[in-house]
Amino acid sequence: MADIFELTLTLDLRDELSEAELAELRWHLGLGPEPETLSIVTGFPFVVEDDHGNLLVEDRPEPLLGRQGEALKAGGALVSVLLRRKDTGLGAWALASRQEIHPDQFEETGALLSWLAAGAGDAHRLADGTVRLGWIRFHESCQAESLVVRDGEVVWPS
C-alpha cells in the first residue's frame, strides 16, 4: 500500500505577484521553465549514496504541483492550471491543481502552499485567519478533508 494523497487546490490569488513569482509559480505548476533563481521554495533536499556508501544530501529542485496526465493511485487525471481573471472581484488569478502527493513531500509542498495562502483572495479567509486552499484525501478514502493553512502552516492529515 502506498501512502499517496490526492491534493486538490482551488483558489484565487490577489494581483500582488511579481513577474519572478509568477514565473516560479508557473514552473511549480508544470506550466513554464525553471527560473534561474527560486525564492518561494528554496530547498529541495534529496538523499543519495556516494561511491563509498556515505549518504549525501543534494539539492534537486522539482516542480511541486507540475504532474500532468494519468493519476497512478487516486484515479482520474493530474492537472494544474493558472488563469488570469477577467473579473478581478475574486482575485486576479484563478488557480486549480489536482496532484498526488506522498507525505515525504509535505514539507516542500507545505512551503509552497503557505506562500499561496498568503496571496489568496479574501473569499478563502475565515474569520480566525485560516485560509482554505482546497481538499486532501488518502487515495483509498472516499472522504476528503479541507486543506487549510493556519498561522502560516499547512494542516496536514494525521
Side-chain angles (χ1 to χ4, degrees):
M1 178 178 4
D3 292 335
I4 299 296
F5 288 83
E6 173 192 26
L7 175 76
T8 304
L9 302 177
T10 56
L11 69 145
D12 300 294
L13 299 170
R14 296 187 303 259
D15 194 18
E16 300 167 0
L17 304 177
S18 69
E19 286 302 316
E21 290 171 326
L22 278 171
E24 187 171 346
L25 179 56
R26 284 186 180 108
W27 173 70
H28 276 298
L29 297 173
L31 304 173
E34 180 179 352
E36 285 186 30
T37 304
L38 299 174
S39 62
I40 298 170
V41 181
T42 58
F44 296 83
F46 188 82
V47 178
V48 296
E49 187 175 329
D50 70 11
D51 295 338
H52 305 289
N54 299 316
L55 296 180
L56 303 172
V57 178
E58 295 180 352
D59 190 46
R60 292 191 183 176
E62 66 176 348
L64 296 171
L65 303 173
R67 293 196 43 223
Q68 307 282 332
E70 172 184 355
L72 300 176
K73 295 288 183 183
L78 305 179
V79 64
S80 289
V81 177
L82 179 66
L83 301 172
R84 183 78 157 143
R85 283 190 169 282
K86 293 177 184 171
D87 173 12
T88 59
L90 293 173
W93 297 94
L95 186 151
S97 181
R98 181 177 186 265
Q99 299 290 309
E100 290 179 322
I101 182 172
H102 189 275
D104 289 348
Q105 300 167 301
F106 281 1
E107 186 174 342
E108 291 84 12
T109 304
L112 176 60
L113 298 179
S114 294
W115 180 84
L116 287 169
D122 292 338
H124 300 283
R125 298 178 185 283
L126 304 178
D128 67 357
T130 299
V131 180
R132 292 174 295 162
L133 298 180
W135 302 270
I136 190 165
R137 73 172 178 92
F138 184 66
H139 78 278
E140 291 181 340
S141 174
C142 294
Q143 184 66 40
E145 300 176 37
S146 290
L147 179 65
V148 300
V149 173
R150 186 174 296 122
D151 298 322
E153 298 289 325
V154 175
V155 179
W156 295 108
S158 48

